[in-house]
Amino acid sequence: METAKVKLPITNEHGFYEIRLESIGGLGANLSGKILGELGAIYLGLNSSSFASYGSEKRGTPVKAFVRWADPSQEIRINSPVETPHLLGLFHERLAGKIPVMQGVGPDTIVVVNTDEDPDVIRDRLKMHAGTLVCVDALRLAIEAKTRVNMIMLGAMAKASGFIPVEDLKELVKDTLGKKYPAALQANLEGIDKGYNNIVVKKYEDDGKYPYQEYSEVKREWGYDNAPIGGINPHYGSTINNDLSGSREGYIPVFKKEACINCGMCDSTCPDMVYQFVPGEYKGKPSMINLGPDYHHCKGCLRCVEACPTDALTAGLEREVDIWKNHVRNQELLVDKMEFEDVGPNSWMRSESYTTNELR
Ligand code: SF4
Ligand code: SF4
Protein backbone atom coordinates (compact mmCIF):
# COMPACT_ATOMS: atom_id res chain seq x y z
CA MET A 1 0.00 0.00 0.00
CA GLU A 2 1.12 3.52 -0.79
CA THR A 3 2.43 5.43 2.22
CA ALA A 4 1.76 9.10 2.75
CA LYS A 5 4.56 11.66 2.62
CA VAL A 6 3.30 13.33 5.80
CA LYS A 7 1.81 12.09 9.03
CA LEU A 8 -1.47 13.77 9.92
CA PRO A 9 -0.94 15.31 13.38
CA ILE A 10 -4.54 14.80 14.46
CA THR A 11 -7.70 13.22 13.04
CA ASN A 12 -11.36 12.95 14.04
CA GLU A 13 -13.26 9.78 14.88
CA HIS A 14 -13.46 8.90 11.16
CA GLY A 15 -9.72 9.24 10.68
CA PHE A 16 -10.01 12.56 8.79
CA TYR A 17 -7.99 15.78 9.08
CA GLU A 18 -10.50 18.48 8.17
CA ILE A 19 -10.03 22.00 6.82
CA ARG A 20 -12.67 24.72 6.38
CA LEU A 21 -12.13 27.99 4.56
CA GLU A 22 -14.50 30.90 5.20
CA SER A 23 -14.37 33.80 2.78
CA ILE A 24 -16.18 36.12 0.44
CA GLY A 25 -16.14 35.75 -3.33
CA GLY A 26 -13.06 37.24 -4.98
CA LEU A 27 -10.43 36.38 -2.37
CA GLY A 28 -9.71 33.00 -3.90
CA ALA A 29 -10.88 30.63 -1.15
CA ASN A 30 -12.55 28.32 -3.63
CA LEU A 31 -9.29 27.96 -5.55
CA SER A 32 -7.39 27.51 -2.28
CA GLY A 33 -9.70 24.61 -1.37
CA LYS A 34 -9.01 22.99 -4.74
CA ILE A 35 -5.27 23.53 -4.30
CA LEU A 36 -5.31 21.94 -0.84
CA GLY A 37 -7.41 19.04 -2.15
CA GLU A 38 -4.92 18.41 -4.93
CA LEU A 39 -1.95 18.93 -2.63
CA GLY A 40 -3.19 16.17 -0.33
CA ALA A 41 -3.92 13.64 -3.08
CA ILE A 42 -1.07 14.21 -5.51
CA TYR A 43 1.82 15.67 -3.56
CA LEU A 44 1.35 14.33 -0.04
CA GLY A 45 0.12 10.81 -0.87
CA LEU A 46 -3.04 11.19 1.23
CA ASN A 47 -6.62 10.36 0.39
CA SER A 48 -8.21 13.74 -0.20
CA SER A 49 -11.50 15.37 -1.09
CA SER A 50 -12.54 18.99 -1.47
CA PHE A 51 -15.62 20.95 -2.45
CA ALA A 52 -16.97 24.45 -2.03
CA SER A 53 -20.26 26.20 -1.43
CA TYR A 54 -20.60 29.69 -2.90
CA GLY A 55 -24.16 30.63 -3.80
CA SER A 56 -24.40 33.02 -6.72
CA GLU A 57 -20.65 33.00 -7.59
CA LYS A 58 -20.56 36.75 -7.22
CA ARG A 59 -17.60 38.64 -5.85
CA GLY A 60 -18.38 39.80 -2.35
CA THR A 61 -20.79 36.98 -1.45
CA PRO A 62 -19.95 34.41 1.25
CA VAL A 63 -17.93 31.36 0.21
CA LYS A 64 -17.04 28.22 2.13
CA ALA A 65 -14.58 25.58 1.00
CA PHE A 66 -14.06 22.21 2.66
CA VAL A 67 -11.11 19.81 2.50
CA ARG A 68 -10.73 16.33 4.02
CA TRP A 69 -7.49 14.42 4.21
CA ALA A 70 -6.97 10.87 5.39
CA ASP A 71 -4.21 8.30 5.48
CA PRO A 72 -4.15 6.14 2.28
CA SER A 73 -5.57 3.23 4.28
CA GLN A 74 -8.66 5.29 5.15
CA GLU A 75 -11.27 5.90 2.45
CA ILE A 76 -13.22 9.18 2.36
CA ARG A 77 -16.85 8.48 1.54
CA ILE A 78 -18.59 11.56 2.85
CA ASN A 79 -19.19 14.94 1.23
CA SER A 80 -20.83 16.91 3.98
CA PRO A 81 -19.63 20.31 5.23
CA VAL A 82 -16.73 20.30 7.68
CA GLU A 83 -18.34 20.97 11.06
CA THR A 84 -15.38 20.76 13.45
CA PRO A 85 -12.29 21.85 11.51
CA HIS A 86 -8.73 21.12 12.56
CA LEU A 87 -7.60 24.03 10.39
CA LEU A 88 -9.87 27.02 9.73
CA GLY A 89 -8.88 29.76 7.28
CA LEU A 90 -10.72 33.09 7.71
CA PHE A 91 -9.97 35.04 4.54
CA HIS A 92 -11.77 38.20 5.70
CA GLU A 93 -11.85 39.12 9.39
CA ARG A 94 -15.05 41.17 8.93
CA LEU A 95 -16.94 37.94 8.33
CA ALA A 96 -16.98 37.58 12.10
CA GLY A 97 -20.40 38.56 13.38
CA LYS A 98 -21.92 38.55 9.90
CA ILE A 99 -22.03 34.81 9.49
CA PRO A 100 -21.24 32.15 12.11
CA VAL A 101 -17.70 31.36 10.98
CA MET A 102 -16.49 30.11 14.38
CA GLN A 103 -18.86 27.19 14.67
CA GLY A 104 -17.12 23.96 15.62
CA VAL A 105 -13.91 25.71 16.72
CA GLY A 106 -12.45 24.03 19.80
CA PRO A 107 -9.13 23.53 21.61
CA ASP A 108 -7.71 21.42 18.74
CA THR A 109 -8.52 23.96 16.01
CA ILE A 110 -5.93 26.19 14.40
CA VAL A 111 -7.62 29.38 13.13
CA VAL A 112 -5.69 31.42 10.55
CA VAL A 113 -7.11 34.93 10.14
CA ASN A 114 -6.40 37.62 7.56
CA THR A 115 -5.97 40.64 9.83
CA ASP A 116 -3.54 43.36 10.87
CA GLU A 117 -4.66 43.09 14.49
CA ASP A 118 -3.09 41.20 17.40
CA PRO A 119 -4.42 37.76 18.42
CA ASP A 120 -5.97 39.11 21.67
CA VAL A 121 -8.05 41.69 19.74
CA ILE A 122 -9.09 39.13 17.16
CA ARG A 123 -9.98 36.52 19.75
CA ASP A 124 -12.45 38.96 21.28
CA ARG A 125 -13.81 39.97 17.88
CA LEU A 126 -14.31 36.33 16.87
CA LYS A 127 -15.53 35.32 20.34
CA MET A 128 -13.20 32.36 20.02
CA HIS A 129 -13.83 29.63 22.57
CA ALA A 130 -10.38 28.02 22.54
CA GLY A 131 -7.67 26.88 20.16
CA THR A 132 -4.68 28.32 18.36
CA LEU A 133 -5.09 31.71 16.72
CA VAL A 134 -2.79 32.66 13.87
CA CYS A 135 -2.85 36.21 12.49
CA VAL A 136 -1.42 37.24 9.12
CA ASP A 137 -1.84 40.60 7.38
CA ALA A 138 -2.70 38.97 4.07
CA LEU A 139 -4.14 42.11 2.47
CA ARG A 140 -0.98 44.13 2.91
CA LEU A 141 1.35 41.24 2.09
CA ALA A 142 -0.63 40.53 -1.08
CA ILE A 143 -0.24 44.15 -2.23
CA GLU A 144 3.51 44.00 -1.46
CA ALA A 145 3.99 40.76 -3.40
CA LYS A 146 1.55 41.82 -6.16
CA THR A 147 -0.39 38.62 -5.66
CA ARG A 148 -3.78 37.60 -4.30
CA VAL A 149 -4.85 37.10 -0.70
CA ASN A 150 -5.22 33.34 -1.22
CA MET A 151 -1.48 32.82 -1.86
CA ILE A 152 -0.64 34.55 1.43
CA MET A 153 -3.29 32.54 3.27
CA LEU A 154 -2.03 29.25 1.81
CA GLY A 155 1.52 30.01 2.95
CA ALA A 156 0.28 31.01 6.40
CA MET A 157 -1.88 27.90 6.73
CA ALA A 158 1.02 25.66 5.69
CA LYS A 159 3.18 27.15 8.45
CA ALA A 160 0.41 27.18 11.04
CA SER A 161 -0.50 23.54 10.39
CA GLY A 162 2.97 22.39 11.40
CA PHE A 163 3.05 19.61 8.79
CA ILE A 164 2.11 20.93 5.33
CA PRO A 165 5.43 21.18 3.43
CA VAL A 166 5.66 24.62 1.86
CA GLU A 167 7.94 23.32 -0.91
CA ASP A 168 5.24 20.89 -2.08
CA LEU A 169 2.70 23.69 -2.00
CA LYS A 170 4.94 25.85 -4.18
CA GLU A 171 5.62 22.94 -6.52
CA LEU A 172 1.88 22.47 -7.00
CA VAL A 173 1.37 26.18 -7.68
CA LYS A 174 4.19 26.04 -10.26
CA ASP A 175 2.66 22.98 -11.95
CA THR A 176 -0.89 24.34 -12.06
CA LEU A 177 -1.26 28.13 -11.78
CA GLY A 178 2.24 28.61 -13.16
CA LYS A 179 1.25 26.93 -16.42
CA LYS A 180 -2.00 28.84 -16.69
CA TYR A 181 -0.70 32.26 -15.60
CA PRO A 182 3.10 32.17 -16.06
CA ALA A 183 3.44 35.95 -15.72
CA ALA A 184 2.03 35.80 -12.18
CA LEU A 185 4.06 32.81 -10.98
CA GLN A 186 6.92 34.61 -9.25
CA ALA A 187 4.49 36.91 -7.42
CA ASN A 188 2.40 33.91 -6.34
CA LEU A 189 5.44 32.05 -5.00
CA GLU A 190 6.62 35.17 -3.22
CA GLY A 191 3.14 35.51 -1.73
CA ILE A 192 3.27 31.96 -0.33
CA ASP A 193 6.67 32.68 1.24
CA LYS A 194 5.42 35.96 2.71
CA GLY A 195 2.44 34.20 4.30
CA TYR A 196 4.67 31.40 5.58
CA ASN A 197 7.12 33.80 7.20
CA ASN A 198 4.78 36.42 8.68
CA ILE A 199 2.41 34.77 11.11
CA VAL A 200 1.72 35.70 14.73
CA VAL A 201 0.57 32.75 16.86
CA LYS A 202 -1.19 32.57 20.22
CA LYS A 203 -2.87 29.63 21.91
CA TYR A 204 -6.02 29.98 24.03
CA GLU A 205 -7.27 27.46 26.57
CA ASP A 206 -10.95 27.10 27.41
CA ASP A 207 -10.97 29.82 30.09
CA GLY A 208 -14.74 30.24 30.12
CA LYS A 209 -14.61 33.61 28.32
CA TYR A 210 -16.55 32.53 25.26
CA PRO A 211 -18.78 29.43 24.89
CA TYR A 212 -18.23 26.72 22.31
CA GLN A 213 -20.36 27.30 19.20
CA GLU A 214 -22.03 24.16 17.83
CA TYR A 215 -22.21 23.80 14.08
CA SER A 216 -25.69 24.29 12.62
CA GLU A 217 -26.99 24.93 9.12
CA VAL A 218 -28.35 28.47 8.60
CA LYS A 219 -31.95 28.08 7.46
CA ARG A 220 -33.44 30.95 5.49
CA GLU A 221 -37.09 31.81 5.14
CA TRP A 222 -36.71 32.97 1.56
CA GLY A 223 -36.02 30.41 -1.16
CA TYR A 224 -36.64 29.54 -4.80
CA ASP A 225 -40.41 29.28 -4.35
CA ASN A 226 -41.09 32.37 -2.25
CA ALA A 227 -38.31 34.95 -2.72
CA PRO A 228 -39.57 38.38 -3.88
CA ILE A 229 -39.19 39.03 -7.60
CA GLY A 230 -35.97 40.93 -8.11
CA GLY A 231 -34.19 38.86 -5.50
CA ILE A 232 -32.89 39.49 -2.05
CA ASN A 233 -29.48 39.98 -0.57
CA PRO A 234 -29.68 38.34 2.83
CA HIS A 235 -26.24 39.21 4.16
CA TYR A 236 -25.33 41.93 6.62
CA GLY A 237 -22.38 43.29 4.69
CA SER A 238 -24.27 44.53 1.68
CA THR A 239 -25.52 47.46 -0.29
CA ILE A 240 -29.04 47.30 1.07
CA ASN A 241 -28.16 48.00 4.66
CA ASN A 242 -25.36 50.43 3.79
CA ASP A 243 -22.78 48.30 5.60
CA LEU A 244 -19.60 49.03 3.73
CA SER A 245 -17.51 46.41 5.50
CA GLY A 246 -18.06 42.73 4.97
CA SER A 247 -19.28 42.57 1.38
CA ARG A 248 -16.05 43.78 -0.13
CA GLU A 249 -12.59 42.33 -0.31
CA GLY A 250 -10.64 44.77 1.84
CA TYR A 251 -9.24 46.77 -1.06
CA ILE A 252 -10.62 50.03 -2.36
CA PRO A 253 -9.92 52.14 -5.45
CA VAL A 254 -8.83 55.62 -4.36
CA PHE A 255 -9.95 58.36 -6.77
CA LYS A 256 -7.85 61.47 -7.43
CA LYS A 257 -10.14 63.79 -9.39
CA GLU A 258 -7.43 66.19 -10.55
CA ALA A 259 -5.64 63.35 -12.40
CA CYS A 260 -8.80 62.06 -14.12
CA ILE A 261 -9.07 62.62 -17.88
CA ASN A 262 -12.70 61.39 -18.02
CA CYS A 263 -11.81 58.61 -20.47
CA GLY A 264 -14.47 56.28 -19.04
CA MET A 265 -12.21 53.20 -18.90
CA CYS A 266 -13.09 52.64 -15.24
CA ASP A 267 -16.78 52.79 -16.06
CA SER A 268 -16.44 50.31 -18.93
CA THR A 269 -14.43 47.92 -16.77
CA CYS A 270 -16.32 48.06 -13.49
CA PRO A 271 -18.81 45.20 -13.21
CA ASP A 272 -20.96 47.15 -10.76
CA MET A 273 -21.37 50.58 -12.33
CA VAL A 274 -19.67 52.26 -9.41
CA TYR A 275 -18.43 55.36 -11.24
CA GLN A 276 -20.87 58.22 -11.49
CA PHE A 277 -20.68 60.31 -14.66
CA VAL A 278 -22.69 63.46 -15.44
CA PRO A 279 -22.75 65.63 -18.59
CA GLY A 280 -20.31 68.53 -18.36
CA GLU A 281 -17.30 70.05 -20.00
CA TYR A 282 -13.69 68.86 -20.14
CA LYS A 283 -10.91 70.94 -21.72
CA GLY A 284 -13.50 73.27 -23.23
CA LYS A 285 -15.50 70.51 -24.94
CA PRO A 286 -18.78 68.81 -23.94
CA SER A 287 -17.91 65.59 -22.13
CA MET A 288 -19.16 63.14 -19.55
CA ILE A 289 -17.44 64.02 -16.27
CA ASN A 290 -16.43 61.39 -13.72
CA LEU A 291 -17.68 62.49 -10.30
CA GLY A 292 -16.04 59.49 -8.63
CA PRO A 293 -17.10 56.18 -7.11
CA ASP A 294 -20.30 55.22 -5.31
CA TYR A 295 -18.59 52.87 -2.88
CA HIS A 296 -21.84 51.20 -1.87
CA HIS A 297 -21.60 49.16 -5.03
CA CYS A 298 -17.86 48.52 -4.99
CA LYS A 299 -16.43 45.19 -3.90
CA GLY A 300 -12.76 46.07 -4.23
CA CYS A 301 -11.83 43.89 -7.21
CA LEU A 302 -9.51 46.70 -8.42
CA ARG A 303 -10.19 46.07 -12.10
CA CYS A 304 -10.73 49.81 -12.51
CA VAL A 305 -7.28 50.53 -11.08
CA GLU A 306 -5.72 48.23 -13.68
CA ALA A 307 -7.73 49.89 -16.46
CA CYS A 308 -7.09 53.54 -15.54
CA PRO A 309 -4.49 55.07 -17.89
CA THR A 310 -3.50 57.81 -15.42
CA ASP A 311 -2.86 57.69 -11.69
CA ALA A 312 -6.39 58.91 -10.99
CA LEU A 313 -7.11 55.49 -9.48
CA THR A 314 -4.79 53.70 -7.07
CA ALA A 315 -5.24 50.65 -4.84
CA GLY A 316 -5.82 51.32 -1.15
CA LEU A 317 -6.55 49.23 1.91
CA GLU A 318 -10.16 49.77 2.87
CA ARG A 319 -9.34 49.89 6.57
CA GLU A 320 -6.98 52.84 5.99
CA VAL A 321 -8.90 54.96 3.49
CA ASP A 322 -11.44 57.59 4.46
CA ILE A 323 -14.12 56.25 2.11
CA TRP A 324 -16.53 59.09 2.75
CA LYS A 325 -14.09 61.70 1.43
CA ASN A 326 -14.45 60.25 -2.08
CA HIS A 327 -17.88 58.67 -1.91
CA VAL A 328 -20.40 59.87 -4.51
CA ARG A 329 -24.15 59.32 -4.47
CA ASN A 330 -25.44 57.01 -7.22
CA GLN A 331 -26.81 59.31 -9.92
CA GLU A 332 -29.27 56.71 -11.21
CA LEU A 333 -31.03 55.87 -7.96
CA LEU A 334 -34.14 57.98 -7.60
CA VAL A 335 -33.94 58.22 -3.83
CA ASP A 336 -31.11 57.85 -1.35
CA LYS A 337 -33.29 56.53 1.42
CA MET A 338 -33.98 52.82 1.24
CA GLU A 339 -36.65 51.08 3.25
CA PHE A 340 -36.02 47.83 5.06
CA GLU A 341 -38.37 45.23 6.34
CA ASP A 342 -35.69 44.26 8.78
CA VAL A 343 -31.92 43.95 8.87
CA GLY A 344 -30.73 40.42 9.39
CA PRO A 345 -30.39 37.03 7.74
CA ASN A 346 -33.90 37.17 6.27
CA SER A 347 -34.18 40.87 5.53
CA TRP A 348 -35.27 42.39 2.26
CA MET A 349 -35.77 45.83 0.81
CA ARG A 350 -38.99 47.33 -0.54
CA SER A 351 -38.61 47.74 -4.27
CA GLU A 352 -40.80 50.89 -4.09
CA SER A 353 -37.67 52.64 -2.85
CA TYR A 354 -36.52 52.62 -6.42
CA THR A 355 -39.75 53.77 -8.01
CA THR A 356 -40.66 56.91 -6.13
CA ASN A 357 -39.05 60.22 -6.94
CA GLU A 358 -40.60 62.24 -4.15
CA LEU A 359 -37.24 63.09 -2.59
CA ARG A 360 -35.58 64.13 -5.79
S1 SF4 B 1 -12.81 47.96 -7.43
FE1 SF4 B 1 -13.24 49.21 -9.21
S2 SF4 B 1 -13.95 47.80 -10.79
FE2 SF4 B 1 -14.07 46.71 -8.84
S3 SF4 B 1 -16.16 47.04 -8.13
FE3 SF4 B 1 -14.91 48.67 -7.20
S4 SF4 B 1 -15.06 50.37 -8.60
FE4 SF4 B 1 -15.76 48.57 -9.74
S1 SF4 C 1 -10.17 55.40 -16.02
FE1 SF4 C 1 -9.07 56.84 -14.72
S2 SF4 C 1 -8.79 58.64 -15.99
FE2 SF4 C 1 -10.36 57.40 -17.00
S3 SF4 C 1 -12.32 58.21 -16.21
FE3 SF4 C 1 -11.72 56.54 -14.89
S4 SF4 C 1 -10.60 57.51 -13.21
FE4 SF4 C 1 -10.69 58.99 -14.86
Side-chain angles (χ1 to χ4, degrees):
M1 175 167 295
E2 192 189 339
T3 50
K5 184 172 177 179
V6 293
K7 183 163 169 37
L8 295 171
I10 185 171
T11 54
N12 63 15
E13 69 274 23
H14 306 294
F16 303 151
Y17 182 89
E18 298 192 319
I19 304 171
R20 189 168 82 216
L21 308 179
E22 300 268 5
S23 183
I24 58 168
L27 292 178
N30 183 18
L31 177 64
S32 300
K34 286 182 189 162
I35 286 176
L36 289 171
E38 202 168 323
L39 181 73
I42 299 175
Y43 292 76
L44 305 185
L46 298 163
N47 279 339
S48 175
S49 89
S50 74
F51 70 100
S53 142
Y54 43 80
S56 63
E57 273 195 73
K58 184 178 181 294
R59 275 178 183 253
T61 53
V63 171
K64 287 175 192 286
F66 308 103
V67 182
R68 279 194 179 87
W69 286 343
D71 192 73
S73 61
Q74 180 69 50
E75 290 186 344
I76 302 173
R77 295 269 177 208
I78 58 170
N79 272 306
S80 56
V82 168
E83 299 184 3
T84 52
H86 298 105
L87 184 59
L88 172 69
L90 271 186
F91 280 52
H92 196 310
E93 68 173 277
R94 297 269 178 89
L95 284 167
K98 316 270 174 190
I99 51 177
V101 290
M102 296 303 282
Q103 288 182 344
V105 170
D108 293 333
T109 310
I110 297 169
V111 182
V112 181
V113 189
N114 169 14
T115 179
D116 66 333
E117 299 278 11
D118 293 331
D120 286 347
V121 175
I122 291 302
R123 188 207 179 185
D124 289 339
R125 198 170 292 164
L126 296 175
K127 298 189 173 29
M128 182 172 165
H129 169 63
T132 304
L133 190 53
V134 179
C135 296
V136 58
D137 190 355
L139 282 177
R140 183 180 301 285
L141 294 171
I143 282 197
E144 283 174 16
K146 297 191 170 45
T147 185
R148 309 252 328 261
V149 161
N150 57 356
M151 293 297 123
I152 311 291
M153 289 297 288
L154 282 169
M157 284 191 288
K159 181 68 180 280
S161 72
F163 74 99
I164 299 174
V166 73
E167 290 311 322
D168 286 302
L169 177 60
K170 285 160 72 176
E171 212 46 49
L172 184 154
V173 167
K174 270 187 218 161
D175 293 345
T176 53
L177 293 185
K179 289 198 177 124
K180 218 168 166 189
Y181 310 107
L185 178 61
Q186 276 318 312
N188 286 338
L189 296 178
E190 191 189 332
I192 291 174
D193 280 335
K194 275 186 181 285
Y196 192 84
N197 293 318
N198 286 285
I199 59 173
V200 181
V201 184
K202 189 157 182 187
K203 198 167 170 39
Y204 297 95
E205 303 300 331
D206 173 9
D207 53 8
K209 195 169 183 189
Y210 298 111
Y212 177 75
Q213 299 175 37
E214 286 284 348
Y215 184 88
S216 64
E217 289 279 342
V218 175
K219 298 271 183 250
R220 302 197 188 287
E221 288 167 23
W222 301 106
Y224 180 81
D225 290 333
N226 63 350
I229 291 172
I232 49 169
N233 182 345
H235 294 288
Y236 280 65
S238 71
T239 302
I240 64 163
N241 56 17
N242 289 1
D243 180 338
L244 290 177
S245 60
S247 63
R248 293 203 309 274
E249 297 184 16
Y251 296 118
I252 199 91
V254 181
F255 180 59
K256 204 190 321 160
K257 191 162 176 50
E258 56 281 15
C260 178
I261 57 172
N262 303 300
C263 67
M265 292 298 288
C266 52
D267 191 41
S268 310
T269 309
C270 177
D272 288 283
M273 293 175 282
V274 164
Y275 291 95
Q276 304 299 306
F277 283 75
V278 288
E281 204 175 87
Y282 180 63
K283 290 195 170 172
K285 292 187 181 152
S287 173
M288 293 299 282
I289 303 297
N290 189 358
L291 296 180
D294 172 0
Y295 286 121
H296 280 130
H297 303 275
C298 171
K299 59 214 171 206
C301 66
L302 299 184
R303 285 190 205 176
C304 54
V305 175
E306 283 169 34
C308 180
T310 73
D311 62 354
L313 292 175
T314 48
L317 291 176
E318 189 182 344
R319 65 184 181 228
E320 292 175 355
V321 173
D322 180 358
I323 288 175
W324 298 104
K325 244 175 155 178
N326 263 218
H327 177 71
V328 176
R329 173 181 176 266
N330 189 317
Q331 300 299 297
E332 298 302 321
L333 281 181
L334 296 179
V335 293
D336 286 331
K337 192 172 165 294
M338 298 181 186
E339 298 163 31
F340 302 102
E341 278 296 299
D342 191 7
V343 174
N346 293 300
S347 68
W348 62 290
M349 182 178 61
R350 288 180 187 281
S351 57
E352 290 90 325
S353 299
Y354 285 109
T355 56
T356 169
N357 64 0
E358 64 191 20
L359 295 182
R360 199 155 208 199

